[in-house]
Amino acid sequence: MVSIKTKGIKHQPLQDRERFDRSLIFTFYILLMISVLSSFFYVLFYSDEPTLPFFLYFLLQILMIMFFFLGLVTYVFKFKRGHIRFAHVASFVIVVLALIATIILNLDRANVDLDFYLYLTLDGDAVLKDFIIIFIDLSAAFAWAYLIGFGVIGVSTAILRQDIPRLLAFVDCMDIEEKSLRNRLVIGAFSIPKIVSIKGVELGPMPSEGDLPLEGLRRTFLLMIYFAILVPSYIFLNPLFLINSGTVDLVALAIGASLFIPVVIFPFSCITDTSARIISGCRDFHLGEGFRHTITNFLGWGTVILLLILSLQLTTISEIINMYLVYMSIAVCVALVYTYIYYNYFQSDLVNDIVVKFTKLRSERAA
């Protein structure tokens, strides 16, 4: 475990987190249903472009607004409870945004075509004024993504805190020979080999609460980048999207989709961080590694290559590369921000709560 100088995390009682989780999950499901239905009816009856890309694009805009407000509430609940002091992070972000603003300003002065930054209206002569406009615009975009991140991660961890202990308790007493649908789903989700004889599930050792788990942070960030590269391929290279995109900006659609990648990644991260493993007759089987194997093989690179071949019939390789470059420059920043939010504010509570609730469920079953 590598440690950095951090402040102590201010823990709240588990009951308070569970109470907040129930309210957050209920609100999320209600807003999600409203978002899907409103998007469907708008695209079907009021839009001039009733296509799947436009439906997804419109739905993502509504979901981002929804998660922004959920994130605002979650941020207030989680504020002052992270590893790293807020002032340190804010200072670092200000310096980085100022540097990016300077680069964009110089590119504009050099007459570089900034197609990905069309929302700015720069003066051209007033350097300081243009710098302030770019800096404010970048700061607003960062705050928007930051609070959406809090919303997405807050809802994800609330659901994981509720369901992961139950899942581990089920695996703890699962008969791997049984052919039920639930067994098949669990075995498939964790890629559990049939030769494993389940004698129980053990958790731990747990990481120290005073340390920021940099190894877990690195692992989660790299997995988010893996998905950030792979998932948008089904948008950029999909002939269905290329043909029917119309006025839909495929880069904006991919960026919106990347904001929800943590929904796939964080179940793996929390299971890995608990060191959950099946105790068997021979070598222990780590559930986190099994889950990682499943999710990394869910979307195959062979399909991406096939989509690339098909997409080249409709567009050029340079256009595809340009879309990826613009998208990845933003996706890397999103992955960094999301990884920081999760490990700074949520991971410690989530992992410890999973252990506590799993132990309680096991004790109740034994009694």
Side-chain angles (χ1 to χ4, degrees):
M1 173 65 63
V2 180
S3 64
I4 63 175
K5 188 175 181 181
T6 63
K7 68 174 184 176
I9 298 178
K10 299 180 180 179
H11 287 286
Q12 294 175 329
L14 174 58
Q15 292 79 4
D16 290 350
R17 288 194 292 276
E18 289 181 318
R19 190 181 306 113
F20 178 78
D21 286 349
R22 287 192 292 270
S23 300
L24 188 65
I25 293 172
F26 176 79
T27 305
F28 163 70
Y29 282 133
I30 294 296
L31 293 178
L32 179 62
M33 182 175 62
I34 294 173
S35 300
V36 173
L37 290 177
S38 60
S39 300
F40 176 78
F41 283 110
Y42 175 80
V43 171
L44 190 62
F45 296 108
Y46 297 101
S47 172
D48 297 329
E49 206 173 342
T51 61
L52 177 61
F54 187 77
F55 168 76
L56 294 176
Y57 180 80
F58 189 80
L59 176 61
L60 283 173
Q61 306 309 305
I62 296 179
L63 289 178
M64 284 191 286
I65 295 173
M66 177 189 79
F67 278 108
F68 174 83
F69 287 106
L70 291 177
L72 188 60
V73 174
T74 307
Y75 179 76
V76 171
F77 184 77
K78 290 285 182 182
F79 186 62
K80 294 182 179 178
R81 299 187 60 247
H83 287 279
I84 306 173
R85 294 184 183 279
F86 175 78
H88 295 167
V89 178
S91 301
F92 175 76
V93 170
I94 289 173
V95 171
V96 171
L97 293 181
L99 178 61
I100 296 174
T102 302
I103 293 173
I104 292 175
L105 185 62
N106 287 320
L107 289 175
D108 179 73
R109 291 295 184 276
N111 295 319
V112 176
D113 186 16
L114 300 178
D115 287 336
F116 60 94
Y117 222 70
L118 296 177
Y119 301 105
L120 286 178
T121 303
L122 301 180
D123 189 295
D125 297 321
V127 176
L128 180 60
K129 179 183 177 181
D130 287 348
F131 174 83
I132 293 173
I133 291 174
I134 297 172
F135 181 79
I136 291 175
D137 191 74
L138 289 173
S139 300
F142 176 82
W144 172 257
Y146 189 77
L147 288 176
I148 290 176
F150 255 91
V152 172
I153 298 171
V155 172
S156 299
T157 54
I159 295 173
L160 293 173
R161 188 176 0 257
Q162 174 180 276
D163 293 337
I164 292 297
R166 298 175 186 172
L167 176 60
L168 295 177
F170 173 76
V171 177
D172 183 52
C173 60
M174 184 177 71
D175 179 6
I176 200 169
E177 299 297 331
E178 186 180 332
K179 303 299 182 182
S180 66
L181 176 61
R182 190 176 184 183
N183 268 30
R184 291 177 184 272
L185 290 175
V186 171
I187 292 171
F190 292 112
S191 298
I192 302 175
K194 293 183 179 180
I195 61 172
V196 171
S197 175
I198 300 177
K199 298 183 182 299
V201 170
E202 294 293 337
L203 308 184
M206 305 303 297
S208 171
E209 291 186 10
D211 296 333
L212 188 65
L214 298 185
E215 177 58 30
L217 193 150
R218 182 193 65 83
R219 181 184 62 239
T220 300
F221 171 75
L222 291 177
L223 195 58
M224 288 185 67
I225 293 299
Y226 174 85
F227 273 81
I229 296 172
L230 194 57
V231 172
S233 300
Y234 289 80
I235 296 175
F236 293 149
L237 306 181
N238 195 317
L240 175 64
F241 283 86
L242 291 171
I243 293 174
N244 297 314
S245 61
T247 59
V248 175
D249 186 342
L250 293 183
V251 175
L253 180 61
I255 291 171
S258 72
L259 295 175
F260 303 99
I261 288 177
V263 176
V264 180
I265 303 303
F266 290 138
F268 154 76
S269 296
C270 72
I271 291 174
T272 301
D273 290 339
T274 60
S275 300
R277 60 198 181 278
I278 293 175
I279 306 301
S280 64
C282 48
R283 191 175 66 175
D284 295 347
F285 178 79
H286 288 264
L287 293 171
E289 288 303 307
F291 190 45
R292 182 189 63 81
H293 177 79
T294 300
I295 61 176
T296 54
N297 286 283
F298 182 71
L299 299 173
W301 285 102
T303 306
V304 173
I305 294 174
L306 176 61
L307 288 173
L308 174 61
I309 295 173
L310 293 175
S311 66
L312 289 176
Q313 308 302 316
L314 303 170
T315 186
T316 63
I317 190 68
S318 62
E319 291 176 343
I320 293 174
I321 291 174
N322 287 335
M323 286 192 293
Y324 264 103
L325 288 176
V326 173
Y327 162 76
M328 284 305 301
S329 64
I330 298 176
V332 170
C333 296
V334 170
L336 284 170
V337 171
Y338 273 44
T339 306
Y340 158 75
I341 291 174
Y342 174 68
Y343 277 95
N344 194 53
Y345 291 98
F346 293 89
Q347 184 262 356
S348 180
D349 281 342
L350 176 61
V351 170
N352 284 283
D353 291 345
I354 288 173
V355 174
V356 170
K357 296 181 73 171
F358 168 75
T359 305
K360 182 180 179 182
L361 289 171
R362 172 186 270 179
S363 299
E364 290 174 351
R365 188 179 68 246

mmCIF file of all heavy atoms in Angstrom, residues 54-77:
data_model
loop_
_atom_site.group_PDB
_atom_site.id
_atom_site.type_symbol
_atom_site.label_atom_id
_atom_site.label_comp_id
_atom_site.label_asym_id
_atom_site.label_seq_id
_atom_site.Cartn_x
_atom_site.Cartn_y
_atom_site.Cartn_z
ATOM 1 N N PHE A 54 -30.572 10.018 -32.338
ATOM 2 C CA PHE A 54 -31.155 11.228 -31.754
ATOM 3 C C PHE A 54 -31.847 10.917 -30.429
ATOM 4 O O PHE A 54 -31.777 11.710 -29.476
ATOM 5 C CB PHE A 54 -32.157 11.864 -32.720
ATOM 6 C CG PHE A 54 -32.666 13.195 -32.250
ATOM 7 C CD1 PHE A 54 -31.870 14.336 -32.359
ATOM 8 C CD2 PHE A 54 -33.924 13.319 -31.673
ATOM 9 C CE1 PHE A 54 -32.331 15.565 -31.907
ATOM 10 C CE2 PHE A 54 -34.379 14.539 -31.225
ATOM 11 C CZ PHE A 54 -33.582 15.669 -31.346
ATOM 12 N N PHE A 55 -32.520 9.760 -30.336
ATOM 13 C CA PHE A 55 -33.152 9.362 -29.066
ATOM 14 C C PHE A 55 -32.105 9.232 -27.964
ATOM 15 O O PHE A 55 -32.287 9.739 -26.843
ATOM 16 C CB PHE A 55 -33.902 8.038 -29.251
ATOM 17 C CG PHE A 55 -34.329 7.401 -27.951
ATOM 18 C CD1 PHE A 55 -35.417 7.893 -27.247
ATOM 19 C CD2 PHE A 55 -33.617 6.326 -27.427
ATOM 20 C CE1 PHE A 55 -35.814 7.324 -26.034
ATOM 21 C CE2 PHE A 55 -33.991 5.745 -26.222
ATOM 22 C CZ PHE A 55 -35.091 6.247 -25.530
ATOM 23 N N LEU A 56 -30.994 8.551 -28.271
ATOM 24 C CA LEU A 56 -29.938 8.382 -27.268
ATOM 25 C C LEU A 56 -29.317 9.719 -26.900
ATOM 26 O O LEU A 56 -29.015 9.970 -25.722
ATOM 27 C CB LEU A 56 -28.865 7.428 -27.808
ATOM 28 C CG LEU A 56 -29.306 5.974 -28.024
ATOM 29 C CD1 LEU A 56 -28.178 5.164 -28.649
ATOM 30 C CD2 LEU A 56 -29.741 5.337 -26.699
ATOM 31 N N TYR A 57 -29.112 10.573 -27.899
ATOM 32 C CA TYR A 57 -28.530 11.889 -27.643
ATOM 33 C C TYR A 57 -29.445 12.713 -26.734
ATOM 34 O O TYR A 57 -28.986 13.315 -25.750
ATOM 35 C CB TYR A 57 -28.307 12.618 -28.970
ATOM 36 C CG TYR A 57 -27.700 13.983 -28.828
ATOM 37 C CD1 TYR A 57 -26.332 14.138 -28.636
ATOM 38 C CD2 TYR A 57 -28.490 15.122 -28.895
ATOM 39 C CE1 TYR A 57 -25.758 15.394 -28.517
ATOM 40 C CE2 TYR A 57 -27.938 16.386 -28.769
ATOM 41 C CZ TYR A 57 -26.569 16.517 -28.578
ATOM 42 O OH TYR A 57 -26.029 17.754 -28.438
ATOM 43 N N PHE A 58 -30.727 12.722 -27.029
ATOM 44 C CA PHE A 58 -31.689 13.486 -26.235
ATOM 45 C C PHE A 58 -31.796 12.909 -24.827
ATOM 46 O O PHE A 58 -31.836 13.645 -23.833
ATOM 47 C CB PHE A 58 -33.062 13.467 -26.927
ATOM 48 C CG PHE A 58 -34.070 14.395 -26.310
ATOM 49 C CD1 PHE A 58 -34.045 15.749 -26.601
ATOM 50 C CD2 PHE A 58 -35.025 13.919 -25.434
ATOM 51 C CE1 PHE A 58 -34.975 16.611 -26.028
ATOM 52 C CE2 PHE A 58 -35.959 14.771 -24.854
ATOM 53 C CZ PHE A 58 -35.920 16.123 -25.159
ATOM 54 N N LEU A 59 -31.822 11.580 -24.732
ATOM 55 C CA LEU A 59 -31.906 10.927 -23.426
ATOM 56 C C LEU A 59 -30.677 11.251 -22.577
ATOM 57 O O LEU A 59 -30.795 11.518 -21.373
ATOM 58 C CB LEU A 59 -32.033 9.406 -23.606
ATOM 59 C CG LEU A 59 -32.026 8.562 -22.312
ATOM 60 C CD1 LEU A 59 -33.194 8.943 -21.414
ATOM 61 C CD2 LEU A 59 -32.066 7.080 -22.651
ATOM 62 N N LEU A 60 -29.484 11.242 -23.187
ATOM 63 C CA LEU A 60 -28.269 11.546 -22.443
ATOM 64 C C LEU A 60 -28.283 12.970 -21.908
ATOM 65 O O LEU A 60 -27.799 13.233 -20.803
ATOM 66 C CB LEU A 60 -27.038 11.330 -23.322
ATOM 67 C CG LEU A 60 -26.609 9.877 -23.539
ATOM 68 C CD1 LEU A 60 -25.488 9.797 -24.574
ATOM 69 C CD2 LEU A 60 -26.138 9.256 -22.222
ATOM 70 N N GLN A 61 -28.842 13.912 -22.674
ATOM 71 C CA GLN A 61 -28.924 15.288 -22.180
ATOM 72 C C GLN A 61 -29.791 15.370 -20.934
ATOM 73 O O GLN A 61 -29.444 16.043 -19.952
ATOM 74 C CB GLN A 61 -29.492 16.215 -23.268
ATOM 75 C CG GLN A 61 -28.766 16.178 -24.605
ATOM 76 C CD GLN A 61 -27.274 16.352 -24.479
ATOM 77 O OE1 GLN A 61 -26.788 17.316 -23.905
ATOM 78 N NE2 GLN A 61 -26.529 15.397 -25.034
ATOM 79 N N ILE A 62 -30.918 14.664 -20.945
ATOM 80 C CA ILE A 62 -31.806 14.671 -19.782
ATOM 81 C C ILE A 62 -31.147 13.970 -18.602
ATOM 82 O O ILE A 62 -31.229 14.439 -17.451
ATOM 83 C CB ILE A 62 -33.149 14.000 -20.130
ATOM 84 C CG1 ILE A 62 -33.875 14.809 -21.210
ATOM 85 C CG2 ILE A 62 -34.037 13.883 -18.890
ATOM 86 C CD1 ILE A 62 -35.200 14.216 -21.634
ATOM 87 N N LEU A 63 -30.485 12.844 -18.875
ATOM 88 C CA LEU A 63 -29.821 12.114 -17.792
ATOM 89 C C LEU A 63 -28.711 12.945 -17.154
ATOM 90 O O LEU A 63 -28.511 12.898 -15.936
ATOM 91 C CB LEU A 63 -29.244 10.798 -18.323
ATOM 92 C CG LEU A 63 -30.249 9.709 -18.689
ATOM 93 C CD1 LEU A 63 -29.535 8.487 -19.251
ATOM 94 C CD2 LEU A 63 -31.096 9.308 -17.481
ATOM 95 N N MET A 64 -27.983 13.712 -17.963
ATOM 96 C CA MET A 64 -26.924 14.549 -17.400
ATOM 97 C C MET A 64 -27.498 15.623 -16.487
ATOM 98 O O MET A 64 -26.937 15.910 -15.423
ATOM 99 C CB MET A 64 -26.087 15.169 -18.525
ATOM 100 C CG MET A 64 -25.120 14.179 -19.168
ATOM 101 S SD MET A 64 -23.909 14.966 -20.266
ATOM 102 C CE MET A 64 -24.949 15.348 -21.671
ATOM 103 N N ILE A 65 -28.636 16.205 -16.882
ATOM 104 C CA ILE A 65 -29.295 17.186 -16.010
ATOM 105 C C ILE A 65 -29.758 16.511 -14.721
ATOM 106 O O ILE A 65 -29.587 17.045 -13.619
ATOM 107 C CB ILE A 65 -30.487 17.825 -16.748
ATOM 108 C CG1 ILE A 65 -29.993 18.639 -17.944
ATOM 109 C CG2 ILE A 65 -31.293 18.714 -15.800
ATOM 110 C CD1 ILE A 65 -31.096 19.164 -18.830
ATOM 111 N N MET A 66 -30.332 15.325 -14.852
ATOM 112 C CA MET A 66 -30.809 14.585 -13.681
ATOM 113 C C MET A 66 -29.658 14.285 -12.727
ATOM 114 O O MET A 66 -29.752 14.543 -11.512
ATOM 115 C CB MET A 66 -31.472 13.278 -14.132
ATOM 116 C CG MET A 66 -31.936 12.385 -12.994
ATOM 117 S SD MET A 66 -32.478 10.753 -13.576
ATOM 118 C CE MET A 66 -30.890 9.948 -13.811
ATOM 119 N N PHE A 67 -28.546 13.763 -13.254
ATOM 120 C CA PHE A 67 -27.423 13.410 -12.397
ATOM 121 C C PHE A 67 -26.719 14.645 -11.848
ATOM 122 O O PHE A 67 -26.078 14.568 -10.790
ATOM 123 C CB PHE A 67 -26.438 12.512 -13.141
ATOM 124 C CG PHE A 67 -26.831 11.068 -13.151
ATOM 125 C CD1 PHE A 67 -27.287 10.459 -14.313
ATOM 126 C CD2 PHE A 67 -26.760 10.310 -11.990
ATOM 127 C CE1 PHE A 67 -27.659 9.131 -14.319
ATOM 128 C CE2 PHE A 67 -27.126 8.976 -11.987
ATOM 129 C CZ PHE A 67 -27.582 8.381 -13.140
ATOM 130 N N PHE A 68 -26.818 15.769 -12.544
ATOM 131 C CA PHE A 68 -26.243 17.011 -12.017
ATOM 132 C C PHE A 68 -26.915 17.382 -10.696
ATOM 133 O O PHE A 68 -26.225 17.697 -9.711
ATOM 134 C CB PHE A 68 -26.410 18.143 -13.033
ATOM 135 C CG PHE A 68 -25.977 19.484 -12.521
ATOM 136 C CD1 PHE A 68 -24.641 19.847 -12.559
ATOM 137 C CD2 PHE A 68 -26.904 20.373 -11.994
ATOM 138 C CE1 PHE A 68 -24.232 21.088 -12.074
ATOM 139 C CE2 PHE A 68 -26.507 21.619 -11.510
ATOM 140 C CZ PHE A 68 -25.167 21.977 -11.552
ATOM 141 N N PHE A 69 -28.229 17.330 -10.657
ATOM 142 C CA PHE A 69 -28.952 17.689 -9.428
ATOM 143 C C PHE A 69 -28.783 16.614 -8.349
ATOM 144 O O PHE A 69 -28.637 16.936 -7.167
ATOM 145 C CB PHE A 69 -30.425 17.941 -9.735
ATOM 146 C CG PHE A 69 -30.674 19.232 -10.466
ATOM 147 C CD1 PHE A 69 -30.995 19.237 -11.813
ATOM 148 C CD2 PHE A 69 -30.551 20.442 -9.807
ATOM 149 C CE1 PHE A 69 -31.206 20.432 -12.493
ATOM 150 C CE2 PHE A 69 -30.752 21.648 -10.479
ATOM 151 C CZ PHE A 69 -31.079 21.640 -11.823
ATOM 152 N N LEU A 70 -28.785 15.341 -8.756
ATOM 153 C CA LEU A 70 -28.498 14.282 -7.779
ATOM 154 C C LEU A 70 -27.080 14.436 -7.233
ATOM 155 O O LEU A 70 -26.823 14.198 -6.037
ATOM 156 C CB LEU A 70 -28.666 12.904 -8.425
ATOM 157 C CG LEU A 70 -30.091 12.484 -8.806
ATOM 158 C CD1 LEU A 70 -30.065 11.123 -9.504
ATOM 159 C CD2 LEU A 70 -30.993 12.431 -7.581
ATOM 160 N N GLY A 71 -26.144 14.823 -8.107
ATOM 161 C CA GLY A 71 -24.770 15.024 -7.677
ATOM 162 C C GLY A 71 -24.635 16.198 -6.724
ATOM 163 O O GLY A 71 -23.814 16.150 -5.786
ATOM 164 N N LEU A 72 -25.414 17.242 -6.948
ATOM 165 C CA LEU A 72 -25.377 18.398 -6.052
ATOM 166 C C LEU A 72 -25.801 17.999 -4.641
ATOM 167 O O LEU A 72 -25.158 18.371 -3.655
ATOM 168 C CB LEU A 72 -26.294 19.489 -6.597
ATOM 169 C CG LEU A 72 -26.249 20.856 -5.911
ATOM 170 C CD1 LEU A 72 -24.856 21.449 -5.994
ATOM 171 C CD2 LEU A 72 -27.272 21.799 -6.530
ATOM 172 N N VAL A 73 -26.860 17.199 -4.559
ATOM 173 C CA VAL A 73 -27.326 16.722 -3.252
ATOM 174 C C VAL A 73 -26.289 15.803 -2.616
ATOM 175 O O VAL A 73 -25.980 15.912 -1.419
ATOM 176 C CB VAL A 73 -28.676 15.987 -3.408
ATOM 177 C CG1 VAL A 73 -29.103 15.352 -2.086
ATOM 178 C CG2 VAL A 73 -29.750 16.949 -3.892
ATOM 179 N N THR A 74 -25.727 14.891 -3.408
ATOM 180 C CA THR A 74 -24.723 13.956 -2.886
ATOM 181 C C THR A 74 -23.463 14.683 -2.452
ATOM 182 O O THR A 74 -22.845 14.327 -1.439
ATOM 183 C CB THR A 74 -24.371 12.909 -3.958
ATOM 184 O OG1 THR A 74 -25.565 12.293 -4.436
ATOM 185 C CG2 THR A 74 -23.459 11.835 -3.392
ATOM 186 N N TYR A 75 -23.079 15.699 -3.188
ATOM 187 C CA TYR A 75 -21.886 16.462 -2.838
ATOM 188 C C TYR A 75 -22.043 17.124 -1.472
ATOM 189 O O TYR A 75 -21.110 17.116 -0.660
ATOM 190 C CB TYR A 75 -21.617 17.518 -3.899
ATOM 191 C CG TYR A 75 -20.415 18.382 -3.599
ATOM 192 C CD1 TYR A 75 -19.135 17.899 -3.793
ATOM 193 C CD2 TYR A 75 -20.577 19.681 -3.124
ATOM 194 C CE1 TYR A 75 -18.028 18.680 -3.509
ATOM 195 C CE2 TYR A 75 -19.480 20.465 -2.837
ATOM 196 C CZ TYR A 75 -18.217 19.975 -3.033
ATOM 197 O OH TYR A 75 -17.126 20.749 -2.742
ATOM 198 N N VAL A 76 -23.207 17.682 -1.216
ATOM 199 C CA VAL A 76 -23.458 18.303 0.084
ATOM 200 C C VAL A 76 -23.363 17.262 1.193
ATOM 201 O O VAL A 76 -22.805 17.514 2.269
ATOM 202 C CB VAL A 76 -24.843 18.983 0.100
ATOM 203 C CG1 VAL A 76 -25.203 19.449 1.506
ATOM 204 C CG2 VAL A 76 -24.867 20.148 -0.876
ATOM 205 N N PHE A 77 -23.871 16.048 0.920
ATOM 206 C CA PHE A 77 -23.839 14.975 1.919
ATOM 207 C C PHE A 77 -22.421 14.487 2.170
ATOM 208 O O PHE A 77 -22.064 14.120 3.294
ATOM 209 C CB PHE A 77 -24.719 13.817 1.435
ATOM 210 C CG PHE A 77 -24.835 12.683 2.426
ATOM 211 C CD1 PHE A 77 -25.659 12.792 3.539
ATOM 212 C CD2 PHE A 77 -24.124 11.507 2.246
ATOM 213 C CE1 PHE A 77 -25.769 11.748 4.452
ATOM 214 C CE2 PHE A 77 -24.221 10.459 3.151
ATOM 215 C CZ PHE A 77 -25.058 10.583 4.254
#
